[in-house]
Each structure stands twice: as structure tokens, then as C-alpha cells.
Amino acid sequence: QEALEEKLTEVFTLARHHNAQAIICPGDVFDGPSASWGTVARLTQILRASPCPILAINGNHDIFGGNQASRFRTPYGFLVQTGFLWDVEDSEFTGEVEKDGQIVLITGCGFDTNTDTKTPEGMQQFSPRIWVDGAFQIHVVHSMLLDKQPGFDMRHTLISQVQTSAQVIISGHEHTGFGVVRRESDRMLFVNPGALCRLSAHVAEIERPVQVVLLTVENGQATAELIPLKSARPGHEVLSREHIEAAAERESRIE
């Protein structure tokens, strides 16, 4: 928790330095929908320091059993109802590019049981329900969006399969992230810098950089810059795989 507080403080500093209009979190604000009220209270104290609105959607960790109707009785729902978070699925966020006056519309689709399924509802997660003519649209999803096949059976969506009217897709759910990908076929931008915290001592989690993305819209185009967080210590300094390797060795001896 202390490490996350330092990271959030650095995110706010970066947002202030770059004069950001909003901070976007694509879901999984909490690790579970039953976080203690002491933790929630501390988070509200931290969020007060944000220099701009914090936009979010619910992730699978924020609700009970993939049921979006449970949001109202979760810590995530509490933060939305008290104004600490702006849920862009419930209400779109509108910004403006200062130089040319272009409208930027940010919408979202939170996680539910249909996410990444082949059902009509699952396919619609990438389609903004609100559109403003001439606006530059950013759509936020909590999809297991991947730039390549995972190599094992897992519910997911490939970047090549996404159909949307938005110009930028920001995704969560896949906590290691894929960074920034520009699709060759239509030059669409896909963004997932990965989670602010490492959830396990998996090799991929230890080795990945903890980072955020600075997204800039100008002249009808978006650019994205990956910024590693200075407050995030290298994974090998804070995580150990000794217990995992010892367990694997024990299992090998048993075999």
C-alpha cells in the first residue's frame, strides 16, 4: 500500500507537470470488491491531491462475480458516487484541445460477464454508445486485449479483431500490459502500460517496468509516450521467487 501511495503521488506530479486534462484508469482500482473501509478512506485522502479528474471504468476485481449491478455496494461504487472517480461508462467526459479547439470525447465499457465473448454484447464492448460528430474519441475498456495469441486457452480479444469508431482504445485487465501499439491497417492507437502494482512474483511481473502513458491529442492525431515511474523500484529488489522455486524443486523431487 505504501508503494502504491508513492506511485499515485508521482502520477499526480506528472499530470500537473504536463497540464493533463484527465487521468485515466482502465479498471481494477481495487484488488477486490471487499477492500476495508480504512483502505478506502486512505485512498480518498490520496485522490484529493489529484490535479485533474480521474476517469475510470470498473474492472473484474472491482465488482462481485462480473455483475455490474453490484457496483453500488463496492468501494469502487463508493468512490464514483462520492465524486472521487468519474465513471466514463455512466457519463462521458469531454475535453478540448487548447490549440485548435477540437473536442475530445472519452467513453468506456466496464467489465461484465460478456467481456471478450463472441456474443453481440461482448463484441460491442469496443463500440462507444455515444458519438459526437467531429470529436476525437478515446474509448476505455477492461478487456483481455492482446497484441498476439497468448499460447494457451484464455478468453481474450486480439487487437487485429477490434472494430470500433474510436481513434484510441485504452485497455486494462491484462496487468503486464503491451505498451503502445499502432495498428498498421488503420493507424489506430491501442494503449495498455500495465498495472501500477506487481501482483505476483511471476517472472514477467518482476521484469516489467512500472509505467504510465502520456497521451497527447493534436491536429486530429494521438501520440503516446511511455513514462517509467521513478518511485517504482526494480522488481528484483521488492519481490523474491525463492519460495516458488523451492516449491517447484520439492514437487520435482516428489515426482
Side-chain angles (χ1 to χ4, degrees):
Q1 183 170 318
E2 288 78 7
L4 273 172
E5 289 183 13
E6 291 183 14
K7 292 170 186 175
L8 286 170
T9 299
E10 184 176 354
V11 170
F12 296 162
T13 300
L14 286 168
R16 193 175 294 109
H17 174 73
H18 292 284
N19 195 28
Q21 290 194 37
I23 294 169
I24 301 174
C25 175
D28 287 351
V29 177
F30 292 94
D31 189 43
S34 300
S36 72
W37 287 113
T39 299
V40 177
R42 178 59 188 146
L43 182 55
T44 61
Q45 293 172 344
I46 297 168
L47 297 182
R48 281 195 180 98
S50 178
C52 55
I54 301 176
L55 315 183
I57 54 172
N58 71 272
N60 55 307
H61 287 253
D62 295 314
I63 57 177
F64 291 99
N67 178 14
Q68 282 205 0
S70 70
R71 282 187 300 171
F72 81 97
R73 56 188 173 93
T74 66
Y76 174 86
F78 173 81
L79 293 182
V80 171
Q81 293 178 66
T82 52
F84 288 98
L85 296 179
W86 182 322
D87 191 304
V88 288
E89 180 170 19
D90 289 343
S91 177
E92 71 279 7
F93 178 86
T94 304
E96 186 173 338
V97 180
E98 295 179 358
K99 293 182 180 179
D100 55 21
Q102 183 177 34
I103 297 298
V104 177
L105 190 67
I106 304 177
T107 55
C109 181
F111 181 91
D112 63 19
T113 53
N114 294 306
T115 299
D116 292 323
T117 64
K118 303 306 179 184
T119 63
E121 294 81 5
M123 301 301 288
Q124 288 171 5
Q125 65 181 320
F126 298 101
S127 300
R129 289 180 290 186
I130 296 173
W131 176 254
V132 175
D133 189 39
F136 186 95
Q137 187 132 17
I138 299 169
H139 191 60
V140 188
V141 297
H142 196 78
S143 161
M144 186 58 72
L145 186 63
L146 304 174
D147 56 346
K148 56 187 176 183
Q149 291 286 358
F152 54 91
D153 188 27
M154 179 180 66
R155 202 164 79 180
H156 67 283
T157 302
L158 295 177
I159 287 176
S160 59
Q161 298 171 330
V162 173
Q163 296 182 7
T164 180
S165 57
Q167 283 83 26
V168 177
I169 294 288
I170 299 175
S171 68
H173 203 23
E174 208 288 278
H175 288 209
T176 55
F178 53 75
V180 177
V181 173
R182 193 174 290 278
R183 192 163 63 181
E184 292 186 5
S185 60
D186 54 8
R187 308 303 294 165
M188 260 197 68
L189 202 62
F190 295 84
V191 175
N192 181 350
L196 284 185
C197 64
R198 296 182 172 94
L199 294 185
S200 71
H202 190 282
V203 173
E205 280 280 76
I206 291 177
E207 294 181 349
R208 75 176 177 91
V210 177
Q211 57 193 355
V212 294
V213 165
L214 176 64
L215 185 65
T216 304
V217 178
E218 191 173 18
N219 298 322
Q221 298 292 326
T223 56
E225 175 190 356
L226 288 165
I227 303 177
L229 295 185
K230 296 178 181 178
S231 59
R233 292 164 58 190
H236 67 271
E237 291 185 11
V238 295
L239 294 172
S240 171
R241 287 186 51 83
E242 289 183 4
H243 62 293
I244 298 175
E245 292 164 358
E249 183 180 349
R250 180 175 181 274
E251 288 297 321
S252 178
R253 290 201 301 270
I254 291 174
E255 288 288 340

